[in-house]
Coordinates of all heavy atoms in Angstrom, one line a residue:
M87 N 151.0 131.7 3.7 CA 151.2 130.7 4.6 C 150.6 129.3 4.1 O 149.4 129.3 3.6 CB 150.5 131.0 5.9 CG 150.7 130.1 7.0 SD 149.9 130.8 8.5 CE 150.4 129.7 9.6
P88 N 151.4 128.3 3.9 CA 151.0 127.1 3.3 C 150.0 126.4 4.2 O 150.1 126.4 5.4 CB 152.3 126.2 3.2 CG 153.3 126.8 4.1 CD 152.9 128.3 4.3
K89 N 149.1 125.7 3.6 CA 148.0 124.9 4.2 C 148.6 123.7 4.9 O 149.4 123.0 4.2 CB 146.9 124.6 3.3 CG 145.7 124.0 3.9 CD 144.6 123.8 2.9 CE 143.4 123.2 3.7 NZ 142.3 123.1 2.7
K90 N 148.3 123.4 6.1 CA 148.8 122.2 6.8 C 148.0 121.0 6.3 O 146.8 121.1 6.1 CB 148.5 122.3 8.3 CG 149.5 123.4 9.1 CD 149.2 123.4 10.5 CE 150.0 124.4 11.2 NZ 149.8 124.3 12.7
S91 N 148.7 120.0 6.1 CA 148.1 118.7 5.7 C 147.7 117.9 6.9 O 148.4 118.0 7.9 CB 149.0 117.9 4.8 OG 150.1 117.5 5.5
I92 N 146.6 117.3 6.8 CA 146.1 116.5 8.0 C 146.7 115.1 7.8 O 146.6 114.4 6.7 CB 144.6 116.4 7.8 CG1 143.9 117.8 7.9 CG2 144.0 115.6 8.9 CD1 142.5 117.9 7.5
V93 N 147.2 114.6 8.9 CA 147.8 113.3 9.0 C 146.7 112.3 9.5 O 146.2 112.5 10.7 CB 149.0 113.2 9.9 CG1 149.5 111.7 10.0 CG2 150.1 114.1 9.4
I94 N 146.2 111.4 8.7 CA 145.1 110.5 9.1 C 145.7 109.1 9.1 O 146.2 108.7 8.1 CB 143.9 110.6 8.1 CG1 143.3 112.1 8.1 CG2 142.9 109.6 8.5 CD1 142.6 112.5 9.4
L95 N 145.5 108.4 10.2 CA 146.0 107.0 10.2 C 145.0 106.1 9.4 O 143.8 106.5 9.1 CB 145.8 106.5 11.7 CG 146.7 107.2 12.7 CD1 146.5 106.7 14.1 CD2 148.2 107.0 12.3
P96 N 145.6 105.0 8.8 CA 144.8 104.3 7.9 C 143.5 103.7 8.6 O 142.4 103.7 7.8 CB 145.7 103.1 7.6 CG 147.0 103.6 7.9 CD 146.9 104.6 8.9
E97 N 143.4 103.4 9.8 CA 142.2 102.8 10.4 C 141.2 104.0 10.5 O 140.0 103.8 10.1 CB 142.5 102.3 11.8 CG 141.3 101.7 12.5 CD 141.6 101.1 13.8 OE1 142.7 101.3 14.3 OE2 140.8 100.3 14.3
T98 N 141.6 105.2 10.8 CA 140.7 106.3 10.8 C 140.2 106.7 9.4 O 139.0 107.0 9.3 CB 141.4 107.6 11.4 OG1 141.9 107.2 12.7 CG2 140.4 108.8 11.6
R99 N 141.0 106.6 8.5 CA 140.6 106.8 7.1 C 139.5 105.8 6.7 O 138.5 106.2 6.0 CB 141.8 106.7 6.1 CG 141.5 107.0 4.7 CD 142.7 107.1 3.8 NE 143.5 108.1 4.2 CZ 143.4 109.5 3.8 NH1 142.4 109.8 3.1 NH2 144.3 110.4 4.2
R100 N 139.6 104.5 7.1 CA 138.6 103.5 6.8 C 137.3 104.0 7.5 O 136.2 103.7 7.0 CB 139.1 102.2 7.2 CG 140.1 101.6 6.3 CD 140.3 100.1 6.6 NE 140.9 99.8 7.8 CZ 142.1 99.8 8.1 NH1 143.0 100.1 7.2 NH2 142.6 99.6 9.4
Y101 N 137.4 104.5 8.7 CA 136.2 104.9 9.4 C 135.5 106.0 8.7 O 134.2 106.0 8.6 CB 136.5 105.3 10.9 CG 137.0 104.3 11.8 CD1 137.8 104.6 12.8 CD2 136.6 102.9 11.7 CE1 138.3 103.7 13.8 CE2 137.0 102.0 12.5 CZ 137.9 102.4 13.6 OH 138.3 101.3 14.5
L102 N 136.2 107.0 8.2 CA 135.7 108.1 7.5 C 135.1 107.6 6.2 O 133.9 108.0 5.8 CB 136.8 109.2 7.1 CG 137.2 110.0 8.3 CD1 138.4 110.8 7.9 CD2 136.1 110.9 8.8
E103 N 135.7 106.6 5.5 CA 135.2 106.1 4.2 C 133.9 105.3 4.6 O 132.9 105.4 3.8 CB 136.2 105.2 3.5 CG 137.3 106.0 3.0 CD 138.5 105.0 2.5 OE1 138.5 103.9 2.8 OE2 139.5 105.6 2.0
T104 N 133.8 104.6 5.6 CA 132.6 103.9 6.0 C 131.5 104.9 6.3 O 130.4 104.7 5.9 CB 132.8 102.9 7.2 OG1 133.8 102.0 6.9 CG2 131.6 102.2 7.6
M105 N 131.8 106.0 7.0 CA 130.9 106.9 7.4 C 130.3 107.6 6.1 O 129.1 107.8 5.9 CB 131.4 108.0 8.4 CG 130.4 109.0 8.8 SD 131.0 110.1 10.2 CE 132.3 111.0 9.4
G106 N 131.2 107.9 5.2 CA 130.8 108.6 3.9 C 129.8 107.7 3.1 O 128.9 108.1 2.5
S107 N 130.2 106.4 3.1 CA 129.3 105.4 2.4 C 128.0 105.3 3.0 O 126.9 105.2 2.3 CB 130.0 104.1 2.4 OG 129.3 103.1 1.9
Q108 N 127.9 105.4 4.4 CA 126.7 105.2 5.1 C 125.9 106.5 4.8 O 124.6 106.4 4.7 CB 126.9 105.0 6.5 CG 127.4 103.7 6.9 CD 127.9 103.6 8.4 OE1 128.2 104.6 9.0 NE2 128.1 102.3 8.8
I109 N 126.5 107.6 4.7 CA 125.7 108.9 4.4 C 125.2 108.8 3.0 O 124.0 109.2 2.8 CB 126.7 110.2 4.5 CG1 126.9 110.4 6.0 CG2 126.1 111.3 3.9 CD1 128.0 111.4 6.3
R110 N 126.0 108.3 2.0 CA 125.5 108.0 0.7 C 124.3 107.2 0.7 O 123.3 107.4 0.0 CB 126.6 107.6 -0.2 CG 126.2 107.4 -1.7 CD 127.4 107.0 -2.6 NE 127.1 107.0 -3.9 CZ 126.5 106.0 -4.5 NH1 126.1 104.9 -3.9 NH2 126.1 106.1 -5.8
L111 N 124.4 106.0 1.3 CA 123.3 105.1 1.4 C 122.0 105.7 2.0 O 120.9 105.4 1.5 CB 123.7 103.7 2.0 CG 124.8 102.9 1.3 CD1 125.2 101.8 2.2 CD2 124.1 102.4 0.0
A112 N 122.2 106.5 3.0 CA 121.0 107.1 3.7 C 120.4 108.0 2.7 O 119.1 108.0 2.6 CB 121.5 107.9 4.9
R113 N 121.1 108.8 1.9 CA 120.6 109.7 0.9 C 119.8 108.9 -0.2 O 118.7 109.3 -0.5 CB 121.8 110.5 0.3 CG 121.3 111.4 -0.8 CD 122.4 112.2 -1.5 NE 123.4 111.5 -2.1 CZ 123.3 110.9 -3.3 NH1 122.2 111.1 -4.0 NH2 124.3 110.3 -3.8
L114 N 120.4 107.8 -0.6 CA 119.8 107.0 -1.7 C 118.5 106.3 -1.2 O 117.6 106.3 -1.9 CB 120.8 106.0 -2.2 CG 122.0 106.6 -3.0 CD1 122.9 105.4 -3.4 CD2 121.6 107.4 -4.2
R115 N 118.6 105.8 0.0 CA 117.4 105.3 0.6 C 116.2 106.3 0.7 O 115.0 105.9 0.5 CB 117.6 104.7 2.1 CG 118.3 103.3 2.0 CD 118.3 102.7 3.4 NE 119.1 103.5 4.3 CZ 120.4 103.3 4.6 NH1 121.1 102.3 4.0 NH2 121.1 104.0 5.5
R116 N 116.5 107.5 0.9 CA 115.5 108.5 1.0 C 115.1 109.1 -0.4 O 114.3 110.0 -0.6 CB 116.0 109.7 1.8 CG 115.9 109.3 3.3 CD 116.8 110.3 4.1 NE 116.8 110.0 5.5 CZ 117.3 109.0 6.2 NH1 118.0 108.2 5.5 NH2 117.2 108.8 7.5
K117 N 115.8 108.5 -1.5 CA 115.5 108.9 -2.9 C 115.7 110.5 -3.1 O 114.9 111.1 -3.7 CB 114.2 108.5 -3.3 CG 113.9 107.0 -3.4 CD 112.7 106.6 -3.9 CE 112.4 105.2 -4.1 NZ 112.7 104.2 -3.2
L118 N 116.8 111.0 -2.4 CA 117.1 112.4 -2.6 C 118.4 112.5 -3.5 O 119.3 111.7 -3.3 CB 117.5 113.0 -1.2 CG 116.3 112.9 -0.2 CD1 116.9 113.4 1.2 CD2 115.2 113.8 -0.6
S119 N 118.3 113.6 -4.4 CA 119.4 113.7 -5.3 C 120.6 114.4 -4.5 O 120.3 115.1 -3.5 CB 119.0 114.6 -6.5 OG 118.7 116.0 -6.0
A120 N 121.8 114.3 -5.0 CA 123.0 114.8 -4.4 C 122.8 116.4 -4.5 O 123.2 117.0 -3.5 CB 124.2 114.4 -5.2
S121 N 122.2 116.9 -5.6 CA 122.1 118.3 -5.7 C 121.1 118.9 -4.6 O 121.4 120.0 -4.0 CB 121.5 118.8 -7.1 OG 122.4 118.3 -8.1
L122 N 120.1 118.2 -4.3 CA 119.1 118.6 -3.3 C 119.6 118.6 -2.0 O 119.5 119.6 -1.2 CB 117.8 117.7 -3.4 CG 116.7 118.1 -2.4 CD1 116.2 119.4 -2.6 CD2 115.6 117.1 -2.5
V123 N 120.4 117.5 -1.6 CA 121.0 117.4 -0.3 C 122.0 118.5 -0.1 O 122.1 119.1 0.9 CB 121.5 116.0 0.0 CG1 122.4 115.9 1.3 CG2 120.4 115.0 0.0
A124 N 122.8 118.7 -1.1 CA 123.9 119.7 -1.0 C 123.2 121.1 -0.8 O 123.7 121.9 0.0 CB 124.7 119.7 -2.3
E125 N 122.1 121.4 -1.6 CA 121.4 122.7 -1.4 C 120.8 122.8 0.0 O 121.1 123.8 0.6 CB 120.3 122.8 -2.4 CG 119.6 124.1 -2.4 CD 118.4 124.1 -3.4 OE1 118.5 123.5 -4.5 OE2 117.4 124.8 -3.1
R126 N 120.2 121.8 0.6 CA 119.7 121.8 1.9 C 120.7 122.0 2.9 O 120.5 122.7 4.0 CB 119.0 120.5 2.2 CG 117.6 120.4 1.5 CD 116.9 119.1 1.9 NE 115.6 118.9 1.2 CZ 114.8 117.8 1.4 NH1 115.3 116.9 2.3 NH2 113.7 117.8 0.8
A127 N 121.9 121.4 2.7 CA 123.0 121.5 3.6 C 123.8 122.7 3.5 O 124.6 123.1 4.3 CB 123.9 120.3 3.5
G128 N 123.6 123.5 2.5 CA 124.3 124.8 2.2 C 125.7 124.5 1.8 O 126.6 125.4 2.1
I129 N 126.0 123.4 1.1 CA 127.3 123.2 0.5 C 127.3 122.9 -0.9 O 126.1 122.8 -1.5 CB 128.0 122.0 1.3 CG1 127.1 120.7 1.1 CG2 128.1 122.2 2.8 CD1 127.7 119.5 1.6
S130 N 128.4 122.8 -1.6 CA 128.4 122.5 -3.0 C 128.3 121.0 -3.2 O 128.5 120.2 -2.3 CB 129.8 123.0 -3.7 OG 130.8 122.2 -3.2
R131 N 127.8 120.7 -4.4 CA 127.7 119.2 -4.8 C 129.1 118.6 -4.7 O 129.1 117.5 -4.3 CB 127.0 119.2 -6.1 CG 126.6 117.7 -6.5 CD 125.9 117.7 -7.8 NE 125.5 116.4 -8.1 CZ 126.2 115.4 -8.6 NH1 127.5 115.7 -8.7 NH2 125.8 114.2 -8.8
A132 N 130.1 119.3 -5.1 CA 131.5 118.7 -4.9 C 131.9 118.3 -3.5 O 132.4 117.3 -3.3 CB 132.4 119.6 -5.6
T133 N 131.4 119.2 -2.6 CA 131.7 119.0 -1.1 C 130.9 117.7 -0.7 O 131.4 116.9 0.0 CB 131.4 120.2 -0.3 OG1 132.2 121.2 -0.8 CG2 131.8 119.9 1.2
L134 N 129.7 117.6 -1.2 CA 128.9 116.5 -0.8 C 129.5 115.2 -1.3 O 129.6 114.1 -0.6 CB 127.5 116.5 -1.3 CG 126.6 115.4 -1.0 CD1 126.5 115.0 0.4 CD2 125.2 115.5 -1.7
C135 N 130.0 115.2 -2.6 CA 130.7 114.1 -3.1 C 132.0 113.7 -2.3 O 132.3 112.5 -2.0 CB 131.2 114.3 -4.5 SG 129.8 114.3 -5.6
E136 N 132.7 114.7 -1.7 CA 133.9 114.4 -0.9 C 133.4 113.8 0.4 O 134.1 112.9 0.9 CB 134.7 115.7 -0.7 CG 135.5 116.2 -1.9 CD 136.5 115.2 -2.4 OE1 137.3 114.8 -1.6 OE2 136.4 114.9 -3.6
I137 N 132.3 114.3 0.9 CA 131.8 113.7 2.2 C 131.4 112.3 2.0 O 131.8 111.4 2.8 CB 130.6 114.5 2.7 CG1 131.1 115.9 3.2 CG2 129.8 113.9 3.7 CD1 130.0 116.9 3.6
E138 N 130.7 111.9 0.9 CA 130.3 110.7 0.6 C 131.5 109.7 0.3 O 131.4 108.5 0.5 CB 129.3 110.6 -0.5 CG 128.0 111.2 -0.1 CD 126.9 111.1 -1.2 OE1 127.2 110.7 -2.4 OE2 125.8 111.5 -0.9
K139 N 132.6 110.2 0.0 CA 133.9 109.4 -0.2 C 134.6 109.3 1.2 O 135.5 108.5 1.3 CB 134.9 110.2 -1.1 CG 134.4 110.1 -2.6 CD 135.4 110.9 -3.5 CE 134.9 111.0 -4.8 NZ 135.8 111.9 -5.6
G140 N 134.1 110.1 2.2 CA 134.9 110.0 3.5 C 136.1 110.9 3.5 O 137.1 110.5 4.3
S141 N 136.2 112.0 2.8 CA 137.4 112.8 2.7 C 137.6 113.5 4.1 O 136.8 114.1 4.7 CB 137.2 113.9 1.7 OG 138.2 114.8 1.7
P142 N 138.9 113.4 4.6 CA 139.3 113.9 5.8 C 139.5 115.5 5.7 O 139.6 116.2 6.7 CB 140.6 113.3 6.2 CG 141.2 112.9 4.9 CD 140.0 112.5 4.0
S143 N 139.5 116.0 4.5 CA 139.7 117.4 4.3 C 138.5 118.2 4.5 O 138.5 119.5 4.6 CB 140.3 117.7 2.9 OG 139.4 117.4 1.9
V144 N 137.3 117.6 4.6 CA 136.0 118.3 4.8 C 135.8 118.5 6.2 O 135.9 117.6 7.1 CB 134.8 117.5 4.2 CG1 133.5 118.3 4.4 CG2 135.0 117.3 2.7
A145 N 135.4 119.7 6.6 CA 135.3 120.0 8.0 C 134.1 119.2 8.6 O 133.1 118.9 7.9 CB 135.0 121.5 8.2
I146 N 134.2 119.0 9.9 CA 133.1 118.2 10.5 C 131.7 119.0 10.4 O 130.7 118.3 10.3 CB 133.4 117.9 12.0 CG1 132.4 116.8 12.5 CG2 133.4 119.0 12.8 CD1 132.8 116.2 13.8
G147 N 131.7 120.3 10.3 CA 130.5 120.9 10.1 C 129.8 120.6 8.8 O 128.6 120.6 8.8
G148 N 130.6 120.3 7.8 CA 130.0 119.8 6.5 C 129.3 118.5 6.7 O 128.2 118.3 6.2
Y149 N 129.9 117.6 7.4 CA 129.4 116.3 7.7 C 128.0 116.5 8.5 O 127.0 115.9 8.2 CB 130.2 115.4 8.5 CG 131.4 114.8 7.7 CD1 132.6 115.4 7.3 CD2 131.1 113.5 7.1 CE1 133.6 114.8 6.6 CE2 132.1 112.9 6.3 CZ 133.3 113.5 6.1 OH 134.3 112.9 5.3
A150 N 128.0 117.4 9.5 CA 126.9 117.7 10.3 C 125.8 118.3 9.5 O 124.6 117.9 9.7 CB 127.3 118.6 11.5
A151 N 126.1 119.2 8.6 CA 125.0 119.8 7.8 C 124.4 118.8 6.8 O 123.2 118.8 6.7 CB 125.7 120.9 6.9
V152 N 125.1 117.9 6.3 CA 124.5 116.8 5.4 C 123.6 115.9 6.3 O 122.6 115.5 5.9 CB 125.7 116.1 4.7 CG1 125.0 114.8 4.0 CG2 126.4 117.0 3.7
L153 N 124.2 115.6 7.5 CA 123.3 114.7 8.3 C 122.0 115.4 8.6 O 120.9 114.7 8.7 CB 124.1 114.3 9.6 CG 125.2 113.2 9.3 CD1 126.1 113.1 10.6 CD2 124.7 112.0 8.9
H154 N 122.1 116.6 8.9 CA 120.8 117.4 9.3 C 119.9 117.5 8.0 O 118.7 117.4 8.1 CB 121.2 118.8 9.6 CG 120.0 119.6 10.2 ND1 119.4 119.4 11.4 CD2 119.3 120.6 9.5 CE1 118.4 120.2 11.5 NE2 118.2 120.9 10.4
A155 N 120.5 117.6 6.8 CA 119.8 117.7 5.6 C 119.0 116.4 5.4 O 118.0 116.3 4.6 CB 120.6 118.1 4.5
L156 N 119.6 115.3 5.9 CA 119.0 113.9 5.7 C 118.0 113.6 6.8 O 118.0 112.6 7.5 CB 120.1 112.9 5.7 CG 121.0 112.9 4.5 CD1 122.1 111.9 4.7 CD2 120.3 112.6 3.2
N157 N 117.1 114.6 7.1 CA 116.0 114.5 8.0 C 116.5 114.4 9.5 O 116.2 113.4 10.2 CB 115.0 113.3 7.7 CG 114.4 113.5 6.3 OD1 114.5 114.6 5.8 ND2 113.7 112.5 5.8
Y158 N 117.4 115.3 9.8 CA 117.7 115.4 11.3 C 118.5 114.2 11.8 O 118.4 113.9 13.0 CB 116.5 115.7 12.2 CG 115.8 116.8 11.6 CD1 114.5 116.7 11.0 CD2 116.2 118.2 11.6 CE1 113.7 117.7 10.5 CE2 115.4 119.2 11.1 CZ 114.2 119.0 10.5 OH 113.6 120.0 10.1
M159 N 119.3 113.7 10.9 CA 120.3 112.7 11.4 C 121.4 113.1 12.2 O 122.2 112.4 12.8 CB 120.8 111.8 10.2 CG 119.7 110.9 9.6 SD 120.4 109.9 8.2 CE 121.4 108.8 9.1
D160 N 121.6 114.5 12.3 CA 122.8 115.0 13.0 C 122.7 114.8 14.5 O 123.7 114.9 15.2 CB 122.8 116.6 12.8 CG 121.6 117.3 13.1 OD1 120.5 116.7 12.9 OD2 121.7 118.5 13.2
K161 N 121.5 114.4 15.1 CA 121.5 114.0 16.5 C 122.3 112.9 16.8 O 122.7 112.7 18.0 CB 120.1 113.9 16.9 CG 119.3 112.7 16.4 CD 117.9 112.6 16.8 CE 117.2 111.4 16.2 NZ 116.7 111.7 14.9
D162 N 122.6 112.0 15.8 CA 123.5 110.9 16.0 C 124.9 111.3 16.4 O 125.7 110.5 17.0 CB 123.5 110.0 14.8 CG 122.1 109.3 14.6 OD1 121.3 109.2 15.5 OD2 122.0 108.8 13.4
L163 N 125.3 112.5 16.1 CA 126.6 113.0 16.5 C 126.8 113.0 18.1 O 128.0 113.0 18.6 CB 126.9 114.5 15.9 CG 127.0 114.5 14.4 CD1 127.0 116.0 13.9 CD2 128.3 113.9 14.0
L164 N 125.7 113.1 18.7 CA 125.7 113.0 20.2 C 126.2 111.7 20.8 O 126.6 111.6 21.9 CB 124.4 113.4 20.9 CG 123.9 114.7 20.6 CD1 122.4 115.0 21.1 CD2 124.8 115.8 21.2
L165 N 126.3 110.7 19.9 CA 126.6 109.4 20.4 C 128.2 109.3 20.3 O 128.8 108.3 20.9 CB 126.1 108.3 19.4 CG 124.6 108.3 19.4 CD1 124.1 107.2 18.5 CD2 124.1 107.9 20.8
I166 N 128.9 110.2 19.7 CA 130.3 110.2 19.6 C 131.0 110.4 21.0 O 130.7 111.4 21.7 CB 130.9 111.3 18.6 CG1 130.3 111.0 17.2 CG2 132.4 111.4 18.7 CD1 130.7 112.1 16.2
A167 N 131.8 109.5 21.3 CA 132.5 109.5 22.6 C 131.6 109.6 23.8 O 131.9 110.0 24.9 CB 133.5 110.6 22.7
K168 N 130.3 109.1 23.7 CA 129.3 109.1 24.8 C 129.7 108.2 25.9 O 129.9 108.5 27.0 CB 128.0 108.6 24.3 CG 126.9 108.7 25.4 CD 125.6 108.3 24.8 CE 124.6 108.2 25.9 NZ 123.4 107.5 25.5
D169 N 130.0 107.0 25.6 CA 130.5 106.0 26.5 C 132.0 105.8 26.5 O 132.5 104.9 25.8 CB 129.8 104.6 26.3 CG 128.3 104.7 26.5 OD1 127.9 105.4 27.4 OD2 127.6 104.1 25.7
D170 N 132.7 106.7 27.1 CA 134.2 106.7 27.1 C 134.7 105.8 28.1 O 135.2 106.2 29.2 CB 134.7 108.1 27.3 CG 136.2 108.2 27.1 OD1 136.8 107.3 26.7 OD2 136.7 109.3 27.5
E171 N 134.7 104.5 27.8 CA 135.0 103.5 28.9 C 136.5 103.7 29.3 O 136.8 103.7 30.5 CB 134.8 102.1 28.3 CG 134.9 101.0 29.4 CD 134.5 99.7 28.8 OE1 133.5 99.6 28.1 OE2 135.2 98.7 29.2
L172 N 137.4 103.8 28.4 CA 138.8 103.9 28.7 C 139.1 105.2 29.5 O 139.7 105.2 30.5 CB 139.7 103.9 27.5 CG 141.2 104.2 27.7 CD1 141.8 103.2 28.6 CD2 141.9 104.4 26.3
G173 N 138.4 106.3 29.1 CA 138.6 107.6 29.8 C 138.1 107.5 31.2 O 138.8 108.1 32.1
R174 N 137.0 106.9 31.5 CA 136.4 106.7 32.7 C 137.4 105.9 33.7 O 137.6 106.2 34.8 CB 135.0 106.1 32.7 CG 134.1 107.0 32.2 CD 132.6 106.4 32.2 NE 131.7 107.3 31.5 CZ 131.1 108.2 32.0 NH1 131.3 108.6 33.3 NH2 130.2 108.9 31.3
K175 N 137.9 104.8 33.1 CA 138.9 104.0 33.9 C 140.1 104.8 34.2 O 140.6 104.7 35.4 CB 139.3 102.8 33.1 CG 138.2 101.7 33.0 CD 138.6 100.5 32.2 CE 137.5 99.5 32.2 NZ 137.8 98.4 31.3
L176 N 140.6 105.5 33.3 CA 141.8 106.3 33.6 C 141.5 107.4 34.6 O 142.3 107.7 35.5 CB 142.4 107.1 32.3 CG 142.9 106.1 31.2 CD1 143.2 106.8 30.0 CD2 144.2 105.5 31.8
Q177 N 140.3 108.0 34.5 CA 139.9 109.0 35.6 C 139.8 108.3 37.0 O 140.3 108.9 38.0 CB 138.6 109.5 35.2 CG 138.0 110.6 36.1 CD 136.7 111.1 35.7 OE1 135.9 110.4 35.1 NE2 136.3 112.3 36.0
D178 N 139.3 107.1 37.0 CA 139.1 106.4 38.3 C 140.5 106.1 38.8 O 140.7 106.1 40.1 CB 138.2 105.1 38.2 CG 136.8 105.5 37.9 OD1 136.4 106.6 38.1 OD2 136.1 104.5 37.4
L179 N 141.5 105.8 38.0 CA 142.8 105.5 38.5 C 143.5 106.7 39.1 O 144.2 106.6 40.0 CB 143.7 104.9 37.4 CG 143.4 103.5 36.9 CD1 144.2 103.1 35.7 CD2 143.6 102.5 38.0
G180 N 143.2 107.9 38.6 CA 143.7 109.1 39.1 C 143.1 109.7 40.4 O 143.6 110.6 40.9
L181 N 142.0 109.1 40.8 CA 141.2 109.6 41.9 C 142.0 109.3 43.2 O 142.4 108.1 43.3 CB 139.8 109.1 42.0 CG 138.9 109.6 40.8 CD1 137.5 108.9 40.9 CD2 138.7 111.1 40.8
T182 N 142.0 110.2 44.1 CA 142.6 109.9 45.4 C 141.6 110.1 46.4 O 140.6 110.9 46.3 CB 143.8 110.8 45.7 OG1 143.4 112.2 45.6 CG2 144.9 110.6 44.6
T183 N 141.6 109.3 47.5 CA 140.7 109.5 48.6 C 141.4 110.1 49.7 O 142.5 109.8 50.0 CB 140.2 108.0 48.9 OG1 141.3 107.2 49.3 CG2 139.3 107.5 47.8
A184 N 140.6 111.0 50.3 CA 141.2 111.7 51.5 C 141.1 110.8 52.6 O 140.2 110.0 52.9 CB 140.3 112.9 51.8
K185 N 142.1 110.8 53.5 CA 142.2 110.0 54.7 C 141.2 110.5 55.8 O 140.7 109.7 56.6 CB 143.6 109.9 55.3 CG 144.6 109.2 54.4 CD 145.9 109.1 54.9 CE 146.8 108.4 53.9 NZ 148.2 108.1 54.5
R186 N 141.0 111.8 55.7 CA 140.1 112.4 56.7 C 139.1 113.2 56.0 O 139.4 113.8 54.9 CB 140.9 113.3 57.7 CG 141.9 112.5 58.5 CD 142.7 113.5 59.4 NE 141.8 114.6 60.0 CZ 142.2 115.4 60.9 NH1 143.4 115.2 61.4 NH2 141.4 116.3 61.4
A187 N 138.0 113.5 56.6 CA 137.0 114.3 56.0 C 137.5 115.8 56.3 O 138.2 116.1 57.3 CB 135.6 114.2 56.7
P188 N 137.2 116.7 55.4 CA 137.6 118.1 55.7 C 136.8 118.6 56.9 O 135.7 118.4 57.2 CB 137.1 118.8 54.4 CG 136.2 118.0 53.6 CD 136.4 116.6 54.1
G189 N 137.6 119.5 57.6 CA 137.1 120.1 58.8 C 136.1 121.2 58.5 O 136.0 121.7 57.4
K190 N 135.2 121.5 59.5 CA 134.2 122.6 59.3 C 134.9 123.9 59.6 O 135.7 124.0 60.5 CB 133.0 122.3 60.4 CG 132.2 121.1 60.0 CD 131.1 121.0 60.9 CE 130.2 119.9 60.6 NZ 129.0 119.8 61.5
R191 N 134.4 124.9 58.9 CA 135.0 126.2 59.0 C 134.1 127.1 59.8 O 133.0 127.1 59.8 CB 135.3 126.8 57.6 CG 136.4 126.1 57.0 CD 136.7 126.9 55.7 NE 137.7 126.0 55.0 CZ 138.4 126.5 54.0 NH1 138.2 127.6 53.5 NH2 139.3 125.8 53.4

């Protein structure tokens, strides 16, 4: 069975590249070698290089493992979609209000 290719929009690709660059800078600021971070994350050095390039073919778990290896930076993943302003507005538009309160049973 052939492997499906991932379709990534150019803007999303730039976000991944920025994230990879930020991960690389975080590693360098901590003066950690690529080999050490890869070992701590339980991935190969080649996978770490792909993450630092922002490759869309690396699973998000790889990104999370590297962030954890960089002194528990994986907690920042909780910020993803935290303030979903558009989603909340769409949800509010779909809410209906009852004309009457429900009766007691």
